[in-house]
Amino acid sequence: MMPTERQFSTKTKLERIAWLSSRGKTKKFECLMHHINVESLTECFVEMDGKKATGSDRVTKEIYGESLTKNLENLMDRMKRMTYRPGPVREVLIPKDDKPGTFRPLGIGNFEDKLVQKMTSRILESIYEPTFLNCSYGFRPGRGYHDAIRDLQSHIFKQPVTTVIDIDLANFFGTIQREVVDSLLRERIQDIRFLRYIQRLFKAGILSDGELRTSDEGVPQGSPASPIIANIVAHYVIDEWFEATVKAHCLGKVALFRYCDDMVICCQFESDAIRVNKALGLRLEKYGLRLNAEKTKLVPFSKAQAIEKKQGSFDFLGFTFYLGKSRNGRFRLPKLKSCRKRIRSKLKRVTEWMRVMRSKARLPVLWKDFIAKIQGHIAYYAVSFNLEWVSKFVEQAVRIVFKWLNRRGGKRKLTWEKFLKFVAANPLPAIRIYHPLFSTQSK
């Protein structure tokens, strides 16, 4: 005897969807809205970070949770009557680490809208995650930045690569065509009410400097549902096309590594790279997307030719990949180091932080916050071959702190010797390899 639906937890229901999806790409899902209910939204509420910025309605997790059951029941009543509409997204501009002076628009939705989007995202992930390919790493469970970096470095090390296509997509999130999203979703989802709420998410509008603007394209970066929607589009437009069409028409071995809209393609032959680069541009245009022609480039990256002829370098996920000398100096190996642009941008942010905070807190408090920032940097950038650059960043960041400590008005000058004694008593995090690229480390 099968248990009733109420006996299943939300997790079990989503696992059931994932299992059905993994059985075949032709599986259609006709009834999904019932998975958005008071129980599942309560789970999403518990998982939400209460410290995140608020949307245009300024409602926090704490405020919404004061009458959680009542609020969720009211929300579900509106959703059943199809009267629920997401509020406008508040736009915040975030500086880009790799492009100083430029900003990335981040959309912050209302707390209630975040709950609905988070559950929508969980449902979409259950449907599509089993079908995503191994070349995709971004915003996926059990996969992340360092998996992409490690696999890319391993591929270049083991395979006969001569050319790498360093790809830059122009405003990927902002140019996603909503008609394309709707068409792709309808191939597997036939719940009309579920699809209508996704369309309403797109049409909510963006609130910027007190003005509401709407657009016929793009998904707001920062919303819980945007990453999975972007991955679905990239999966069909790029990943599947590359796997089924590109590989079949190339003379040599080619491989794609994609983290959301950041991606590179490794090619065995330069002739393949030229053809793939041209074909990719045409493929993207077909779906309303486009390459940034100025920044997309073919990079010579041949280990066999590196001794006789200088090779290039490329950036991927904050690291610069290059061909360096082996331990005995006879061979060239793919290595990586922190991207210079990222380092300069992060040091600038340390400077701005110290300039503002130097007179607002005592040194022990400032130093505690600084250590947390340094720990986050080390945890990301401490990979094989890169400890020297991590050490350089930490050293420069420490000197920035010392500089601004001596610019506090009315304070006695802090000598370098006294500062070093303080640092010794309050040590920085140890610099070690957090993410090895090989089982046996080599320098």
Side-chain angles (χ1 to χ4, degrees), residues 166-300:
D166 186 2
I167 299 168
D168 189 278
L169 298 182
N171 190 19
F172 177 64
F173 278 86
T175 55
I176 291 177
Q177 302 298 306
R178 296 170 186 175
E179 297 81 3
V180 171
V181 176
D182 187 63
S183 175
L184 293 176
L185 293 180
R186 287 178 183 273
E187 291 184 11
R188 304 207 67 186
I189 299 175
Q190 296 183 342
D191 188 328
I192 302 302
R193 293 174 67 232
F194 185 79
L195 292 172
R196 283 181 64 184
Y197 275 122
I198 292 179
Q199 293 170 1
R200 289 184 180 183
L201 160 67
F202 294 148
K203 297 177 180 179
I206 297 175
L207 193 63
S208 178
D209 295 328
E211 295 185 2
L212 179 66
R213 70 173 189 269
T214 58
S215 175
D216 294 330
E217 63 181 18
V219 295
Q221 282 186 264
S223 72
S226 293
I228 182 64
I229 290 174
N231 260 346
I232 292 170
V233 173
H235 169 74
Y236 284 105
V237 175
I238 301 172
D239 300 354
E240 282 200 335
W241 167 77
F242 184 86
E243 188 70 24
T245 305
V246 173
K247 287 187 175 182
H249 289 82
C250 285
L251 298 175
K253 190 177 184 66
V254 293
L256 168 68
F257 298 86
R258 182 181 65 80
Y259 191 99
C260 197
D261 59 338
D262 195 354
M263 58 182 177
V264 296
I265 297 176
C266 300
C267 303
Q268 183 177 354
F269 299 121
E270 183 182 8
S271 58
D272 283 339
I274 295 172
R275 293 172 60 220
V276 170
N277 186 45
K278 182 179 180 180
L280 177 60
L282 296 174
R283 174 71 176 180
L284 293 173
E285 288 179 5
K286 180 180 177 181
Y287 292 92
L289 305 170
R290 64 183 185 276
L291 288 174
N292 187 332
E294 295 181 356
K295 296 184 178 180
T296 299
K297 57 186 178 180
L298 272 59
V299 180

Side-chain angles (χ1 to χ4, degrees), residues 28-68:
K28 309 289 185 181
F29 294 88
E30 301 176 350
C31 189
L32 295 173
M33 276 304 298
H34 70 284
H35 294 295
I36 303 179
N37 50 50
V38 172
E39 176 191 359
S40 63
L41 292 176
T42 301
E43 293 181 13
C44 292
F45 174 86
V46 173
E47 295 174 3
M48 295 288 282
D49 186 353
K51 297 181 181 179
K52 294 289 186 180
T54 58
S56 57
D57 64 352
R58 302 297 179 182
V59 175
T60 64
K61 178 179 180 179
E62 181 180 2
I63 294 174
Y64 196 86
E66 290 176 355
S67 304
L68 180 61

Side-chain angles (χ1 to χ4, degrees), residues 299-317:
V299 180
F301 212 81
S302 171
K303 301 188 296 292
Q305 301 176 17
I307 297 179
E308 294 81 14
K309 185 179 179 181
K310 184 178 179 180
Q311 301 297 298
S313 63
F314 63 92
D315 295 338
F316 183 63
L317 298 179

Side-chain angles (χ1 to χ4, degrees), residues 350-361 363 366 398-415 419:
V350 172
T351 299
E352 293 172 349
W353 172 73
M354 274 302 300
R355 182 174 58 83
V356 173
M357 297 298 298
R358 68 186 190 275
S359 300
K360 294 186 177 182
L363 177 55
L366 283 174
V398 168
R399 289 189 176 276
I400 290 172
V401 172
F402 173 72
K403 169 187 172 181
W404 285 98
L405 286 174
N406 278 305
R407 293 193 176 186
R408 295 184 292 179
K411 302 290 184 179
R412 289 184 298 174
K413 186 174 182 180
L414 177 66
T415 65
F419 181 66

Side-chain angles (χ1 to χ4, degrees), residues 5 96 107-108 115 137 144 154 214 224 227 239 290 306 313 322 417:
E5 184 175 344
K96 292 185 178 181
I108 303 175
L115 289 177
Y137 295 85
S154 176
T214 58
D239 300 354
R290 64 183 185 276
S313 63
Y322 66 101
E417 290 71 21

Side-chain angles (χ1 to χ4, degrees), residues 73-194:
E73 288 176 348
N74 177 269
L75 170 61
M76 289 310 307
D77 179 63
R78 283 180 285 140
M79 293 193 75
K80 290 176 181 177
R81 292 186 287 111
M82 296 300 293
T83 59
Y84 163 73
R85 292 185 179 276
V89 175
R90 182 167 68 89
E91 184 180 65
V92 177
L93 299 178
I94 306 297
K96 292 185 178 181
D97 286 339
D98 56 340
K99 300 175 183 177
T102 61
F103 298 86
R104 175 180 290 105
L106 183 68
I108 303 175
N110 295 336
F111 185 82
E112 185 174 74
D113 300 335
K114 290 179 183 178
L115 289 177
V116 177
Q117 289 182 37
K118 187 173 182 63
M119 192 57 211
T120 301
S121 174
R122 293 178 67 183
I123 294 171
L124 291 174
E125 184 179 280
S126 299
I127 296 172
Y128 290 97
E129 176 61 28
T131 66
F132 285 161
L133 304 180
N134 289 332
C135 62
S136 168
Y137 295 85
F139 307 110
R140 295 183 59 188
R143 298 168 73 84
Y145 294 103
H146 296 100
D147 297 302
I149 293 165
R150 186 181 298 108
D151 291 349
L152 172 57
Q153 198 276 342
S154 176
H155 178 86
I156 297 173
F157 178 74
K158 296 177 180 179
Q159 302 299 329
V161 176
T162 62
T163 306
V164 173
I165 310 176
D166 186 2
I167 299 168
D168 189 278
L169 298 182
N171 190 19
F172 177 64
F173 278 86
T175 55
I176 291 177
Q177 302 298 306
R178 296 170 186 175
E179 297 81 3
V180 171
V181 176
D182 187 63
S183 175
L184 293 176
L185 293 180
R186 287 178 183 273
E187 291 184 11
R188 304 207 67 186
I189 299 175
Q190 296 183 342
D191 188 328
I192 302 302
R193 293 174 67 232
F194 185 79

